[in-house]
Amino acid sequence: MFTLGSVLDNELKSTVEDFSFETNFSTNQLMLPNIEKPFEFAQSIIGLEKDLQENENQLMFHQQKKEERKERALIKGYKGTTTLAFIYEKGTVIAVDSRATSGQYIASQSVQKVVPINSYMLGTLAGGAADCQFFLAHLGRICNLYELRNNETISVAAASKLLNNILYSYRNYGLSVGSMICGYDTRGPQLYYIDSDGSRLKNSLFSVGSGSPFAYGVLDAGYRWDLSKEEALDLGRRAICAATFKDSYSGGTIKVYHIDENGWVKISDDDASELWYEYEKKEKKEKK
Amino acid sequence: METYLGEKQQARQWSPYINNGGSCLAVAGDDFAVIASDTRMSLGYSIKTRYSTKYLKITEKCSIVSSGMQADIFTLHKVLKSRAQIYEQKHGKPMSTDAVAKLVSRLLYYRRFFPYYTFNIVAGVDEDGVGCVFSYDAIGTLERVKYSASGSGSSLIEPVLDNQVALKNRNDIKKEEFKLTKEYAIDLVKDAITSAGERDIYTGDFVEISVIDLNGTHEDKFELRFD
């Protein structure tokens, strides 16, 4: 059985999911099929758009068009999204939509795209939902272990670096993770963008997902470091609303979170289309 | 890749997956859950068998239905059943529904690079006695919902549940006035899967329906169209 390069958790020794009573059933490695080119097989089975673009040169199907290859994919994982986060004077604002699509079918309008890592750090989900859910939950466990061992809270930089190293070792396996790690630590509000390609970027604002170009438009236009809390939350909400309006892969409800020195708080949860009509009404009133 | 004659070679790709069809659904109420699946197993244009179970009772308070490839469904259910038994013997109590839901998600993600071709729904009552339904994609994305449908008839069933359980796009009834009773839910589930059997060729033959509440699980079976 193939073993992967990365060990998810050093302590757990079992290599294969088996039923012997000595092990604890926890696996630190994901199973790979026992065939010649397992990663290509995995990538061709699961239809996640990102890996098809990356491996244009590597796969045997480089002659075929991208659309044909996408249709071949038997299993369509849930993806498509708009998430954004930005830091400002008083903390971090995170806003996400809640739609998950499987091909052209809307699989769910109520996905939780923000995953708490601990009481002062949140991770966002974009790309493959299962991949993000699994790795962010794993990051939460690692951070908890760190805090128990070292008796101090883990910094956002360290947590994002841990996730980055794990994902780098799974590079080219066809994972699709576009997550933002946001938090508030001793250095103030922090925001890192982590990618399944292995990138780790630090910036004051990011938007990730199929609707990110639309969100960036609103976000870049209204962003300042010295926003008030109300203005910042409204900016995040408006940006996602604009993205859900124009992007078919985004929609559902718009959730807004805020992180400051006291930890993270969920601010609001509004239906995307109803919010759009409310903004329209407000604009009409202001014009009069 | 191109051969020396300039012809394009179709790469032979190994694919171990087949879709045996079938539909599954589940609806959760305040203190109960209803879960149902058909039992037809198809391959291409033929019906391989009219009775092939897609339903597994994991504990008295939790069950799973799966659609997709029958071989993977069988294996996943086998693994799940033994894991639940081992848990019960190790911990002295049956697995809670939340724990089962998380376990299924992990079992599916363990096979991230060679997935189980199954589309699962777990339903039951949680520790507080509230009905719950968990829906998954093939690689283990977990979401707790009030209702879910999967399988070949899912795009026929899901809109009906959106309208009748979540009251979406309805002008005749208000959410505050509506209460989902057990009888209403059972009738709705029966009607929904019967309607799917009318329009989906892979759904039909028999339906296994089961109602889960704090008193336990009550299983039943009825017939659909055989054509």
PDB file of all heavy atoms in Angstrom, chain A residues 77-109:
ATOM      1  N   GLY A  77     -17.301  16.822  -6.274  1.00  0.00           N
ATOM      2  CA  GLY A  77     -17.321  17.291  -4.898  1.00  0.00           C
ATOM      3  C   GLY A  77     -17.980  18.654  -4.828  1.00  0.00           C
ATOM      4  O   GLY A  77     -18.104  19.350  -5.826  1.00  0.00           O
ATOM      5  N   TYR A  78     -18.419  19.021  -3.653  1.00  0.00           N
ATOM      6  CA  TYR A  78     -19.069  20.323  -3.491  1.00  0.00           C
ATOM      7  C   TYR A  78     -18.029  21.433  -3.553  1.00  0.00           C
ATOM      8  O   TYR A  78     -16.995  21.363  -2.930  1.00  0.00           O
ATOM      9  CB  TYR A  78     -19.751  20.408  -2.130  1.00  0.00           C
ATOM     10  CG  TYR A  78     -20.898  19.455  -1.913  1.00  0.00           C
ATOM     11  CD1 TYR A  78     -21.462  19.320  -0.663  1.00  0.00           C
ATOM     12  CD2 TYR A  78     -21.430  18.706  -2.952  1.00  0.00           C
ATOM     13  CE1 TYR A  78     -22.516  18.473  -0.440  1.00  0.00           C
ATOM     14  CE2 TYR A  78     -22.485  17.846  -2.729  1.00  0.00           C
ATOM     15  CZ  TYR A  78     -23.029  17.732  -1.466  1.00  0.00           C
ATOM     16  OH  TYR A  78     -24.078  16.894  -1.228  1.00  0.00           O
ATOM     17  N   LYS A  79     -18.268  22.477  -4.350  1.00  0.00           N
ATOM     18  CA  LYS A  79     -17.343  23.613  -4.362  1.00  0.00           C
ATOM     19  C   LYS A  79     -18.082  24.868  -4.796  1.00  0.00           C
ATOM     20  O   LYS A  79     -19.274  24.891  -4.878  1.00  0.00           O
ATOM     21  CB  LYS A  79     -16.176  23.325  -5.306  1.00  0.00           C
ATOM     22  CG  LYS A  79     -16.613  23.140  -6.748  1.00  0.00           C
ATOM     23  CD  LYS A  79     -15.440  22.782  -7.622  1.00  0.00           C
ATOM     24  CE  LYS A  79     -14.537  23.944  -7.916  1.00  0.00           C
ATOM     25  NZ  LYS A  79     -15.079  24.915  -8.843  1.00  0.00           N
ATOM     26  N   GLY A  80     -17.368  25.900  -5.121  1.00  0.00           N
ATOM     27  CA  GLY A  80     -17.976  27.155  -5.556  1.00  0.00           C
ATOM     28  C   GLY A  80     -18.291  27.984  -4.340  1.00  0.00           C
ATOM     29  O   GLY A  80     -18.851  27.504  -3.375  1.00  0.00           O
ATOM     30  N   THR A  81     -17.886  29.242  -4.362  1.00  0.00           N
ATOM     31  CA  THR A  81     -18.104  30.002  -3.140  1.00  0.00           C
ATOM     32  C   THR A  81     -17.650  31.428  -3.304  1.00  0.00           C
ATOM     33  O   THR A  81     -17.032  31.781  -4.300  1.00  0.00           O
ATOM     34  CB  THR A  81     -17.304  29.365  -1.987  1.00  0.00           C
ATOM     35  OG1 THR A  81     -17.685  29.957  -0.779  1.00  0.00           O
ATOM     36  CG2 THR A  81     -15.835  29.570  -2.179  1.00  0.00           C
ATOM     37  N   THR A  82     -17.974  32.266  -2.336  1.00  0.00           N
ATOM     38  CA  THR A  82     -17.282  33.541  -2.165  1.00  0.00           C
ATOM     39  C   THR A  82     -17.028  33.707  -0.681  1.00  0.00           C
ATOM     40  O   THR A  82     -17.953  33.625   0.134  1.00  0.00           O
ATOM     41  CB  THR A  82     -18.156  34.722  -2.628  1.00  0.00           C
ATOM     42  OG1 THR A  82     -18.716  34.426  -3.884  1.00  0.00           O
ATOM     43  CG2 THR A  82     -17.333  35.979  -2.716  1.00  0.00           C
ATOM     44  N   THR A  83     -15.766  33.907  -0.336  1.00  0.00           N
ATOM     45  CA  THR A  83     -15.465  34.233   1.056  1.00  0.00           C
ATOM     46  C   THR A  83     -14.528  35.423   1.034  1.00  0.00           C
ATOM     47  O   THR A  83     -13.758  35.591   0.097  1.00  0.00           O
ATOM     48  CB  THR A  83     -14.749  33.077   1.776  1.00  0.00           C
ATOM     49  OG1 THR A  83     -13.530  32.807   1.099  1.00  0.00           O
ATOM     50  CG2 THR A  83     -15.586  31.818   1.777  1.00  0.00           C
ATOM     51  N   LEU A  84     -14.616  36.258   2.050  1.00  0.00           N
ATOM     52  CA  LEU A  84     -13.669  37.360   2.135  1.00  0.00           C
ATOM     53  C   LEU A  84     -13.323  37.624   3.579  1.00  0.00           C
ATOM     54  O   LEU A  84     -14.073  37.277   4.496  1.00  0.00           O
ATOM     55  CB  LEU A  84     -14.213  38.627   1.467  1.00  0.00           C
ATOM     56  CG  LEU A  84     -15.414  39.336   2.057  1.00  0.00           C
ATOM     57  CD1 LEU A  84     -15.041  40.309   3.168  1.00  0.00           C
ATOM     58  CD2 LEU A  84     -16.091  40.154   0.958  1.00  0.00           C
ATOM     59  N   ALA A  85     -12.164  38.233   3.770  1.00  0.00           N
ATOM     60  CA  ALA A  85     -11.770  38.637   5.113  1.00  0.00           C
ATOM     61  C   ALA A  85     -10.854  39.833   4.991  1.00  0.00           C
ATOM     62  O   ALA A  85     -10.099  39.947   4.020  1.00  0.00           O
ATOM     63  CB  ALA A  85     -11.053  37.500   5.838  1.00  0.00           C
ATOM     64  N   PHE A  86     -10.921  40.731   5.965  1.00  0.00           N
ATOM     65  CA  PHE A  86      -9.972  41.838   5.983  1.00  0.00           C
ATOM     66  C   PHE A  86      -9.718  42.264   7.420  1.00  0.00           C
ATOM     67  O   PHE A  86     -10.561  42.042   8.306  1.00  0.00           O
ATOM     68  CB  PHE A  86     -10.440  43.019   5.126  1.00  0.00           C
ATOM     69  CG  PHE A  86     -11.732  43.646   5.553  1.00  0.00           C
ATOM     70  CD1 PHE A  86     -11.760  44.679   6.482  1.00  0.00           C
ATOM     71  CD2 PHE A  86     -12.933  43.222   5.005  1.00  0.00           C
ATOM     72  CE1 PHE A  86     -12.956  45.270   6.854  1.00  0.00           C
ATOM     73  CE2 PHE A  86     -14.128  43.806   5.373  1.00  0.00           C
ATOM     74  CZ  PHE A  86     -14.138  44.835   6.297  1.00  0.00           C
ATOM     75  N   ILE A  87      -8.529  42.814   7.637  1.00  0.00           N
ATOM     76  CA  ILE A  87      -8.200  43.330   8.969  1.00  0.00           C
ATOM     77  C   ILE A  87      -8.227  44.845   8.925  1.00  0.00           C
ATOM     78  O   ILE A  87      -7.967  45.459   7.895  1.00  0.00           O
ATOM     79  CB  ILE A  87      -6.826  42.826   9.461  1.00  0.00           C
ATOM     80  CG1 ILE A  87      -5.713  43.170   8.467  1.00  0.00           C
ATOM     81  CG2 ILE A  87      -6.858  41.342   9.727  1.00  0.00           C
ATOM     82  CD1 ILE A  87      -4.340  42.823   8.997  1.00  0.00           C
ATOM     83  N   TYR A  88      -8.585  45.457  10.018  1.00  0.00           N
ATOM     84  CA  TYR A  88      -8.627  46.905  10.120  1.00  0.00           C
ATOM     85  C   TYR A  88      -8.252  47.250  11.550  1.00  0.00           C
ATOM     86  O   TYR A  88      -7.886  46.367  12.344  1.00  0.00           O
ATOM     87  CB  TYR A  88      -9.995  47.451   9.695  1.00  0.00           C
ATOM     88  CG  TYR A  88     -11.128  47.174  10.646  1.00  0.00           C
ATOM     89  CD1 TYR A  88     -11.734  48.212  11.341  1.00  0.00           C
ATOM     90  CD2 TYR A  88     -11.597  45.886  10.866  1.00  0.00           C
ATOM     91  CE1 TYR A  88     -12.753  47.977  12.230  1.00  0.00           C
ATOM     92  CE2 TYR A  88     -12.613  45.638  11.750  1.00  0.00           C
ATOM     93  CZ  TYR A  88     -13.196  46.693  12.423  1.00  0.00           C
ATOM     94  OH  TYR A  88     -14.211  46.440  13.311  1.00  0.00           O
ATOM     95  N   GLU A  89      -8.364  48.515  11.859  1.00  0.00           N
ATOM     96  CA  GLU A  89      -7.853  48.997  13.143  1.00  0.00           C
ATOM     97  C   GLU A  89      -8.364  48.209  14.339  1.00  0.00           C
ATOM     98  O   GLU A  89      -7.639  47.899  15.272  1.00  0.00           O
ATOM     99  CB  GLU A  89      -8.277  50.462  13.274  1.00  0.00           C
ATOM    100  CG  GLU A  89      -7.581  51.219  14.351  1.00  0.00           C
ATOM    101  CD  GLU A  89      -8.054  52.662  14.352  1.00  0.00           C
ATOM    102  OE1 GLU A  89      -9.203  52.928  13.923  1.00  0.00           O
ATOM    103  OE2 GLU A  89      -7.280  53.512  14.775  1.00  0.00           O
ATOM    104  N   LYS A  90      -9.678  47.873  14.311  1.00  0.00           N
ATOM    105  CA  LYS A  90     -10.280  47.310  15.511  1.00  0.00           C
ATOM    106  C   LYS A  90     -10.347  45.786  15.506  1.00  0.00           C
ATOM    107  O   LYS A  90     -10.846  45.204  16.455  1.00  0.00           O
ATOM    108  CB  LYS A  90     -11.691  47.875  15.690  1.00  0.00           C
ATOM    109  CG  LYS A  90     -11.703  49.361  15.911  1.00  0.00           C
ATOM    110  CD  LYS A  90     -13.027  49.857  16.468  1.00  0.00           C
ATOM    111  CE  LYS A  90     -12.970  51.355  16.726  1.00  0.00           C
ATOM    112  NZ  LYS A  90     -13.032  52.171  15.496  1.00  0.00           N
ATOM    113  N   GLY A  91      -9.897  45.140  14.433  1.00  0.00           N
ATOM    114  CA  GLY A  91      -9.963  43.682  14.441  1.00  0.00           C
ATOM    115  C   GLY A  91     -10.050  43.110  13.033  1.00  0.00           C
ATOM    116  O   GLY A  91      -9.547  43.692  12.078  1.00  0.00           O
ATOM    117  N   THR A  92     -10.697  41.951  12.942  1.00  0.00           N
ATOM    118  CA  THR A  92     -10.825  41.261  11.642  1.00  0.00           C
ATOM    119  C   THR A  92     -12.296  41.055  11.332  1.00  0.00           C
ATOM    120  O   THR A  92     -13.076  40.719  12.217  1.00  0.00           O
ATOM    121  CB  THR A  92     -10.156  39.868  11.726  1.00  0.00           C
ATOM    122  OG1 THR A  92      -8.921  40.006  12.377  1.00  0.00           O
ATOM    123  CG2 THR A  92      -9.959  39.253  10.368  1.00  0.00           C
ATOM    124  N   VAL A  93     -12.668  41.260  10.084  1.00  0.00           N
ATOM    125  CA  VAL A  93     -14.036  40.985   9.643  1.00  0.00           C
ATOM    126  C   VAL A  93     -13.981  39.848   8.633  1.00  0.00           C
ATOM    127  O   VAL A  93     -13.142  39.844   7.739  1.00  0.00           O
ATOM    128  CB  VAL A  93     -14.672  42.222   8.993  1.00  0.00           C
ATOM    129  CG1 VAL A  93     -15.995  41.871   8.337  1.00  0.00           C
ATOM    130  CG2 VAL A  93     -14.873  43.312  10.019  1.00  0.00           C
ATOM    131  N   ILE A  94     -14.859  38.884   8.789  1.00  0.00           N
ATOM    132  CA  ILE A  94     -14.956  37.765   7.831  1.00  0.00           C
ATOM    133  C   ILE A  94     -16.388  37.696   7.350  1.00  0.00           C
ATOM    134  O   ILE A  94     -17.323  37.746   8.156  1.00  0.00           O
ATOM    135  CB  ILE A  94     -14.595  36.437   8.511  1.00  0.00           C
ATOM    136  CG1 ILE A  94     -13.198  36.512   9.075  1.00  0.00           C
ATOM    137  CG2 ILE A  94     -14.703  35.275   7.556  1.00  0.00           C
ATOM    138  CD1 ILE A  94     -12.905  35.400  10.012  1.00  0.00           C
ATOM    139  N   ALA A  95     -16.575  37.591   6.044  1.00  0.00           N
ATOM    140  CA  ALA A  95     -17.924  37.447   5.496  1.00  0.00           C
ATOM    141  C   ALA A  95     -17.914  36.331   4.468  1.00  0.00           C
ATOM    142  O   ALA A  95     -16.987  36.230   3.668  1.00  0.00           O
ATOM    143  CB  ALA A  95     -18.379  38.756   4.856  1.00  0.00           C
ATOM    144  N   VAL A  96     -18.937  35.466   4.513  1.00  0.00           N
ATOM    145  CA  VAL A  96     -18.982  34.316   3.608  1.00  0.00           C
ATOM    146  C   VAL A  96     -20.402  34.114   3.097  1.00  0.00           C
ATOM    147  O   VAL A  96     -21.361  34.574   3.714  1.00  0.00           O
ATOM    148  CB  VAL A  96     -18.538  33.006   4.315  1.00  0.00           C
ATOM    149  CG1 VAL A  96     -17.115  33.094   4.792  1.00  0.00           C
ATOM    150  CG2 VAL A  96     -19.460  32.672   5.448  1.00  0.00           C
ATOM    151  N   ASP A  97     -20.519  33.416   1.969  1.00  0.00           N
ATOM    152  CA  ASP A  97     -21.846  32.985   1.527  1.00  0.00           C
ATOM    153  C   ASP A  97     -22.064  31.567   2.045  1.00  0.00           C
ATOM    154  O   ASP A  97     -21.301  31.109   2.892  1.00  0.00           O
ATOM    155  CB  ASP A  97     -21.953  33.050  -0.002  1.00  0.00           C
ATOM    156  CG  ASP A  97     -21.224  31.911  -0.672  1.00  0.00           C
ATOM    157  OD1 ASP A  97     -20.120  31.571  -0.221  1.00  0.00           O
ATOM    158  OD2 ASP A  97     -21.763  31.341  -1.638  1.00  0.00           O
ATOM    159  N   SER A  98     -23.097  30.874   1.569  1.00  0.00           N
ATOM    160  CA  SER A  98     -23.328  29.542   2.134  1.00  0.00           C
ATOM    161  C   SER A  98     -23.807  28.532   1.095  1.00  0.00           C
ATOM    162  O   SER A  98     -24.544  27.610   1.412  1.00  0.00           O
ATOM    163  CB  SER A  98     -24.355  29.619   3.264  1.00  0.00           C
ATOM    164  OG  SER A  98     -25.612  29.966   2.726  1.00  0.00           O
ATOM    165  N   ARG A  99     -23.374  28.727  -0.149  1.00  0.00           N
ATOM    166  CA  ARG A  99     -23.855  27.789  -1.179  1.00  0.00           C
ATOM    167  C   ARG A  99     -22.774  26.774  -1.516  1.00  0.00           C
ATOM    168  O   ARG A  99     -21.599  27.114  -1.611  1.00  0.00           O
ATOM    169  CB  ARG A  99     -24.241  28.570  -2.441  1.00  0.00           C
ATOM    170  CG  ARG A  99     -24.694  27.689  -3.596  1.00  0.00           C
ATOM    171  CD  ARG A  99     -25.188  28.500  -4.763  1.00  0.00           C
ATOM    172  NE  ARG A  99     -26.478  29.112  -4.493  1.00  0.00           N
ATOM    173  CZ  ARG A  99     -27.165  29.818  -5.379  1.00  0.00           C
ATOM    174  NH1 ARG A  99     -26.680  29.984  -6.584  1.00  0.00           N
ATOM    175  NH2 ARG A  99     -28.311  30.353  -5.057  1.00  0.00           N
ATOM    176  N   ALA A 100     -23.198  25.522  -1.704  1.00  0.00           N
ATOM    177  CA  ALA A 100     -22.280  24.485  -2.187  1.00  0.00           C
ATOM    178  C   ALA A 100     -22.893  23.867  -3.428  1.00  0.00           C
ATOM    179  O   ALA A 100     -24.058  23.490  -3.431  1.00  0.00           O
ATOM    180  CB  ALA A 100     -22.075  23.425  -1.115  1.00  0.00           C
ATOM    181  N   THR A 101     -22.108  23.798  -4.523  1.00  0.00           N
ATOM    182  CA  THR A 101     -22.626  23.259  -5.777  1.00  0.00           C
ATOM    183  C   THR A 101     -21.887  21.985  -6.136  1.00  0.00           C
ATOM    184  O   THR A 101     -20.725  21.811  -5.790  1.00  0.00           O
ATOM    185  CB  THR A 101     -22.445  24.268  -6.923  1.00  0.00           C
ATOM    186  OG1 THR A 101     -21.093  24.695  -6.934  1.00  0.00           O
ATOM    187  CG2 THR A 101     -23.357  25.435  -6.765  1.00  0.00           C
ATOM    188  N   SER A 102     -22.595  21.112  -6.827  1.00  0.00           N
ATOM    189  CA  SER A 102     -21.999  19.859  -7.282  1.00  0.00           C
ATOM    190  C   SER A 102     -22.298  19.789  -8.765  1.00  0.00           C
ATOM    191  O   SER A 102     -23.361  19.339  -9.181  1.00  0.00           O
ATOM    192  CB  SER A 102     -22.648  18.721  -6.497  1.00  0.00           C
ATOM    193  OG  SER A 102     -22.451  17.503  -7.139  1.00  0.00           O
ATOM    194  N   GLY A 103     -21.346  20.306  -9.573  1.00  0.00           N
ATOM    195  CA  GLY A 103     -21.639  20.490 -10.990  1.00  0.00           C
ATOM    196  C   GLY A 103     -22.577  21.683 -11.105  1.00  0.00           C
ATOM    197  O   GLY A 103     -22.294  22.750 -10.574  1.00  0.00           O
ATOM    198  N   GLN A 104     -23.714  21.505 -11.761  1.00  0.00           N
ATOM    199  CA  GLN A 104     -24.650  22.633 -11.852  1.00  0.00           C
ATOM    200  C   GLN A 104     -25.766  22.534 -10.829  1.00  0.00           C
ATOM    201  O   GLN A 104     -26.637  23.395 -10.775  1.00  0.00           O
ATOM    202  CB  GLN A 104     -25.256  22.707 -13.254  1.00  0.00           C
ATOM    203  CG  GLN A 104     -26.177  21.548 -13.533  1.00  0.00           C
ATOM    204  CD  GLN A 104     -26.656  21.565 -14.974  1.00  0.00           C
ATOM    205  OE1 GLN A 104     -25.913  21.920 -15.884  1.00  0.00           O
ATOM    206  NE2 GLN A 104     -27.879  21.169 -15.186  1.00  0.00           N
ATOM    207  N   TYR A 105     -25.755  21.499 -10.013  1.00  0.00           N
ATOM    208  CA  TYR A 105     -26.803  21.306  -9.028  1.00  0.00           C
ATOM    209  C   TYR A 105     -26.394  21.989  -7.732  1.00  0.00           C
ATOM    210  O   TYR A 105     -25.265  21.855  -7.277  1.00  0.00           O
ATOM    211  CB  TYR A 105     -26.988  19.792  -8.796  1.00  0.00           C
ATOM    212  CG  TYR A 105     -28.107  19.423  -7.881  1.00  0.00           C
ATOM    213  CD1 TYR A 105     -29.435  19.563  -8.278  1.00  0.00           C
ATOM    214  CD2 TYR A 105     -27.854  18.921  -6.623  1.00  0.00           C
ATOM    215  CE1 TYR A 105     -30.470  19.209  -7.438  1.00  0.00           C
ATOM    216  CE2 TYR A 105     -28.880  18.567  -5.771  1.00  0.00           C
ATOM    217  CZ  TYR A 105     -30.190  18.712  -6.194  1.00  0.00           C
ATOM    218  OH  TYR A 105     -31.203  18.360  -5.347  1.00  0.00           O
ATOM    219  N   ILE A 106     -27.319  22.712  -7.142  1.00  0.00           N
ATOM    220  CA  ILE A 106     -27.023  23.341  -5.854  1.00  0.00           C
ATOM    221  C   ILE A 106     -27.210  22.278  -4.796  1.00  0.00           C
ATOM    222  O   ILE A 106     -28.330  21.860  -4.502  1.00  0.00           O
ATOM    223  CB  ILE A 106     -27.955  24.535  -5.594  1.00  0.00           C
ATOM    224  CG1 ILE A 106     -27.703  25.621  -6.626  1.00  0.00           C
ATOM    225  CG2 ILE A 106     -27.726  25.089  -4.191  1.00  0.00           C
ATOM    226  CD1 ILE A 106     -28.654  26.786  -6.515  1.00  0.00           C
ATOM    227  N   ALA A 107     -26.108  21.847  -4.219  1.00  0.00           N
ATOM    228  CA  ALA A 107     -26.188  20.767  -3.249  1.00  0.00           C
ATOM    229  C   ALA A 107     -26.728  21.270  -1.921  1.00  0.00           C
ATOM    230  O   ALA A 107     -27.462  20.568  -1.237  1.00  0.00           O
ATOM    231  CB  ALA A 107     -24.821  20.129  -3.072  1.00  0.00           C
ATOM    232  N   SER A 108     -26.352  22.487  -1.562  1.00  0.00           N
ATOM    233  CA  SER A 108     -26.830  22.997  -0.288  1.00  0.00           C
ATOM    234  C   SER A 108     -26.769  24.506  -0.263  1.00  0.00           C
ATOM    235  O   SER A 108     -25.863  25.112  -0.829  1.00  0.00           O
ATOM    236  CB  SER A 108     -25.974  22.431   0.842  1.00  0.00           C
ATOM    237  OG  SER A 108     -26.318  23.057   2.053  1.00  0.00           O
ATOM    238  N   GLN A 109     -27.749  25.137   0.388  1.00  0.00           N
ATOM    239  CA  GLN A 109     -27.753  26.582   0.549  1.00  0.00           C
ATOM    240  C   GLN A 109     -27.387  26.971   1.976  1.00  0.00           C
ATOM    241  O   GLN A 109     -27.516  28.128   2.353  1.00  0.00           O
ATOM    242  CB  GLN A 109     -29.177  27.126   0.253  1.00  0.00           C
ATOM    243  CG  GLN A 109     -29.576  27.027  -1.198  1.00  0.00           C
ATOM    244  CD  GLN A 109     -29.147  28.230  -1.992  1.00  0.00           C
ATOM    245  OE1 GLN A 109     -27.963  28.537  -2.084  1.00  0.00           O
ATOM    246  NE2 GLN A 109     -30.103  28.913  -2.566  1.00  0.00           N
TER     247      GLN A 109
END
